[in-house]
Amino acid sequence: MKTLQFREAIAEAMSEEMRRDDTIYLMGEEVAEYNGAYKASKGMLDEFGPERVIDTPISELGFAGVGVGSAMIGNRPIIEFMTFNFSLVGIDQIINNAAKIRQMSGGQFNCPIVFRGPTASAGQLAATHSQAFESWYANCPGLKVVVPSNPADAKGLLKTAIRDDDPVIFMESEQMYGDKGEVPEGEYTIPIGVADIKREGTDVTIISFGKIIKEAYKAADELEREGISCEIIDLRTVRPMDHDAILNSVKKTNRMVILEEAWPFGNVATEIIYHVQDKAFDYLDAPIVKLNTADTPAPYSPVLLAEWLPNHEDVIKAVKKVLYR
């Protein structure tokens, strides 16, 4: 094993795949000359040149469309959005073209493309730069949605996403790029659609994904000191979702808390709850609790932002609630 920052794991995954396959290229704002807005493509321009590491104007609709078109004729583009908040400018290309072209062409075209960049809040970036769109994209048939929470998962899943023959939404976080973690030496991939049990437990299942899962780890550490054993499942992939991992865990613990950084209405957690009550209702010893952000745009004030986001104290309260303590 070696230790890498999250940003280094992303760069390593892209570089390894680009060495393996010359149809792969990276395109986005500041990915080349500046080495990436978050230095997640550091050194790639020097290695692969300006024809494969391409700086763009601030024109998400334009370069998303270029990527989709080039994917349809045999390339495997990686399109970087400086943040998925900006993907809204190019969402027509993602939803109406990338996600649908295989079906609309009767299978004549596929679209092997990765749209990647940070999602959700990242400190005081205010309402329009702090939004989580995992559930938006996961709602659309034809898209796969991946949200890793650590460097090892990020590298393995990104390599798999780049090799996938269909469009993949790959969501990161500005606040994770500096995170360090152990990453396997040598070649490896992680399959899309497989969750990971990050912590074994017996009393309650906590489901989460992305950077907010850190709050679940903090809560589990504190609860362990009180004799409460938490099982933590990192979804890693929102769509396709690993329902078997979720159901197997809740059948063991009989209680569930879901932690998700997203607005509370119609999110990933609601989809999980539907499937659990449909397939494992008789195993539940308490109603499921879901923890989300407040149902408002993200505030700029640091005091209000702290209230807006779910945290480890909220997780502890939720766990005790489902345990009737």
Side-chain angles (χ1 to χ4, degrees):
M1 303 288 277
K2 58 186 176 183
T3 299
L4 293 180
Q5 288 186 329
F6 195 103
R7 60 168 59 87
E8 293 171 325
I10 294 292
E12 197 168 89
M14 293 190 293
S15 295
E16 287 179 6
E17 292 304 298
M18 288 174 70
R19 293 180 198 121
R20 188 184 61 84
D21 182 349
D22 62 11
T23 67
I24 300 167
Y25 67 89
L26 173 65
M27 176 185 287
E29 296 157 3
E30 298 185 348
V31 299
E33 296 288 345
Y34 193 64
N35 285 309
Y38 314 106
K39 302 300 181 256
S41 54
K42 187 175 181 179
M44 292 180 63
L45 175 63
D46 293 338
E47 179 174 356
F48 299 105
E51 291 188 354
R52 296 184 68 196
V53 182
I54 305 166
D55 277 331
T56 68
I58 302 175
S59 54
E60 287 81 4
L61 181 63
F63 64 77
V66 169
V68 171
S70 72
M72 290 170 60
I73 58 170
N75 292 297
R76 290 183 174 272
I78 305 166
I79 303 300
E80 178 179 312
F81 295 119
M82 195 177 294
T83 159
F84 266 95
N85 296 282
F86 303 155
S87 75
L88 298 188
V89 183
I91 198 168
D92 179 60
Q93 289 292 340
I94 301 170
I95 300 295
N96 283 330
N97 291 331
K100 295 178 174 63
I101 194 62
R102 181 189 286 273
Q103 185 196 52
M104 292 195 302
S105 69
Q108 296 179 81
F109 292 102
N110 62 348
C111 192
I113 187 170
V114 174
F115 298 99
R116 53 158 292 269
T119 183
S121 66
Q124 289 179 262
L125 299 182
T128 61
H129 288 189
S130 302
Q131 302 167 108
F133 294 115
E134 293 90 329
S135 62
W136 286 35
Y137 286 113
N139 184 253
C140 180
L143 298 178
K144 298 173 182 177
V145 181
V146 179
V147 195
S149 67
N150 61 77
D153 286 350
K155 181 181 177 182
L157 284 163
L158 182 53
K159 286 169 71 71
T160 302
I162 293 168
R163 298 180 190 187
D164 200 289
D165 287 333
D166 291 303
V168 179
I169 306 294
F170 195 92
M171 295 176 142
E172 304 153 16
S173 168
E174 292 104 319
Q175 291 182 323
M176 288 198 299
Y177 285 122
D179 288 359
K180 293 182 179 180
E182 289 190 337
V183 175
E185 297 275 5
E187 173 67 19
Y188 76 98
T189 59
I190 295 173
I192 290 173
V194 178
D196 189 31
I197 299 175
K198 297 298 187 185
R199 182 176 182 140
E200 297 272 359
T202 57
D203 295 329
V204 60
T205 298
I206 302 175
I207 307 288
S208 192
F209 58 90
K211 79 171 192 293
I212 199 70
I213 200 172
K214 296 176 186 179
E215 299 300 315
Y217 297 146
K218 292 179 191 175
D221 287 341
E222 290 194 25
L223 289 164
E224 185 177 37
R225 291 192 283 272
E226 299 181 34
I228 297 171
S229 174
C230 300
E231 180 148 297
I232 299 178
I233 295 181
D234 185 347
L235 287 182
R236 302 196 295 193
T237 303
V238 170
R239 183 164 186 170
M241 189 179 292
D242 189 350
H243 291 295
D244 287 343
I246 296 168
L247 293 172
N248 289 338
S249 182
V250 77
K251 287 176 182 179
K252 178 175 71 172
T253 67
N254 310 116
R255 294 169 172 85
M256 178 172 286
V257 171
I258 307 170
L259 172 63
E260 177 189 6
E261 184 181 342
W263 292 311
F265 188 90
N267 52 33
V268 174
T270 59
E271 181 70 11
I272 294 170
I273 291 169
Y274 170 77
H275 280 276
V276 171
Q277 65 82 31
D278 183 47
K279 303 295 184 184
F281 181 81
D282 290 338
Y283 289 89
L284 290 171
D285 288 341
I288 298 169
V289 174
K290 71 185 185 82
L291 300 171
N292 299 117
T293 67
D295 196 15
T296 69
Y300 175 74
S301 159
V303 176
L304 293 177
L305 183 63
E307 289 296 315
W308 184 79
L309 283 165
N311 59 41
H312 73 283
E313 293 178 351
D314 298 322
V315 177
I316 291 170
K317 291 176 185 176
V319 167
K320 290 183 176 180
K321 181 178 180 180
V322 299
L323 288 168
Y324 301 111
R325 295 195 184 183

